[in-house]
Amino acid sequence: MIELAQRAALLDVEGTTSSVAYVYDVMFPFARRELQPYVAQHWESAALDPVRERFAKEAGAASYTEWVTGREPQQTLIDQAVRLMDADVKATGLKLLQGLIWEAGFCSGELHAHLFEEVAPALHAWRAAGVDLRIYSSGSVHAQRLFFGHTEAGDLRPLLTGHYDTTVGPKREADSYAAIAADWRLAPQAIAFFSDVTEELEAARAAGLATVLVNRPGNAIPTPTTTPHPKITSFDEVVWRPSES
């Protein structure tokens, strides 16, 4: 058991609240399978405008029109998305597109977000204890809201007061966590960050946040660190005694 005095919890998703296997074996294959039909069906939708522009920007072009000059626009986007997925690149444009595809899956009922068994009861208990809960994931904010709105335990969005993705910065850089604390209007020391990735925890600690290493079944072996992070295997191992300071 560990005891935390922070007023807020910042939670990773994959490997922390949900299994890595669900993300890699269900959600990613669904996005890959539905990529081409989704883009074809929604090509004229304004929802794809920010996706197109982000893909172009991340490819070094000033605009999507410039990026696809001389090429077939739809197929250019699809081919780039496949390349990014094959390389497991956490590009913001790809995450935005995957979020839209997952929305269709959640709304149709084909997808239901997996959570570890104790997560939903723990989040309810943590909120009742006065802990402010937010999410920081490489998945887009849109995808996060879909995920927590369609879990196996029901809609958990009312428990969460905010979401952050890679638009705030990479998860392995301290400046990202400083930006989150500033947006939250909390001192970094008032926030505890939960993740299964030690490099993320190191970055959060460098920004002044408290850190907790979550060791779930199927997670990669944590990278050794000079200063070990408190470790849990279940949210039930956390006791909150939030400080008013």
Side-chain angles (χ1 to χ4, degrees):
M1 301 291 289
I2 63 170
E3 186 172 308
L4 297 174
Q6 281 70 31
R7 297 165 49 197
L10 182 64
L11 306 172
D12 174 48
V13 177
E14 178 188 320
T16 299
T17 65
S18 179
S19 72
V20 172
Y22 176 76
V23 175
Y24 276 88
D25 297 344
V26 178
M27 293 189 69
F28 284 167
F30 181 88
R32 183 182 289 268
R33 186 192 81 200
E34 296 297 319
L35 172 62
Q36 186 143 1
Y38 182 90
V39 171
Q41 182 179 352
H42 296 86
W43 187 248
E44 301 301 329
S45 169
L48 281 179
D49 289 344
V51 172
R52 284 186 281 257
E53 294 307 316
R54 177 62 73 163
F55 265 79
K57 180 179 179 181
E58 291 175 343
S63 68
Y64 190 74
T65 300
E66 175 187 301
W67 184 46
V68 300
T69 298
R71 295 180 288 175
E72 202 289 315
Q74 283 191 36
Q75 198 59 47
T76 298
L77 179 68
I78 291 167
D79 290 346
Q80 179 67 356
V82 170
R83 281 192 289 270
L84 293 171
M85 287 189 287
D86 286 345
D88 195 24
V89 176
K90 299 184 186 301
T92 300
L94 175 62
K95 295 301 180 182
L96 291 172
L97 180 55
Q98 288 173 324
L100 292 173
I101 297 170
W102 288 329
E103 178 177 19
F106 282 121
C107 291
S108 71
E110 185 171 350
L111 293 177
H112 294 280
H114 166 269
L115 294 176
F116 291 108
E117 186 175 359
E118 92 290 348
V119 168
L123 296 186
H124 280 283
W126 292 4
R127 284 294 293 144
V131 181
D132 194 350
L133 306 174
R134 297 192 182 188
I135 303 297
Y136 182 28
S137 173
S138 59
S140 69
V141 166
H142 182 65
Q144 294 173 33
R145 289 175 175 152
L146 286 167
F147 187 95
F148 285 97
H150 297 83
T151 78
E152 297 164 340
D155 186 355
L156 301 184
R157 288 174 297 180
L159 301 175
L160 305 170
T161 64
H163 298 263
Y164 302 97
D165 58 22
T166 52
T167 59
V168 80
K171 295 186 71 181
R172 301 188 182 196
E173 293 185 7
D175 287 350
S176 304
Y177 299 89
I180 288 172
D183 180 76
W184 212 329
R185 298 185 180 181
L186 288 174
Q189 295 79 7
I191 305 169
F193 176 54
F194 293 72
S195 176
D196 61 310
V197 179
T198 52
E199 291 86 353
E200 296 176 1
L201 296 172
E202 289 292 292
R205 177 178 286 172
L209 280 68
T211 54
V212 179
L213 174 62
V214 184
N215 188 13
R216 298 287 195 177
N219 285 4
I221 298 174
T223 303
T225 58
T226 304
T227 306
H229 302 273
K231 184 186 301 182
I232 62 171
T233 58
S234 166
F235 284 2
D236 288 341
E237 297 170 32
V238 180
V239 176
W240 290 94
R241 305 191 192 281
S243 170
E244 295 297 324
S245 59

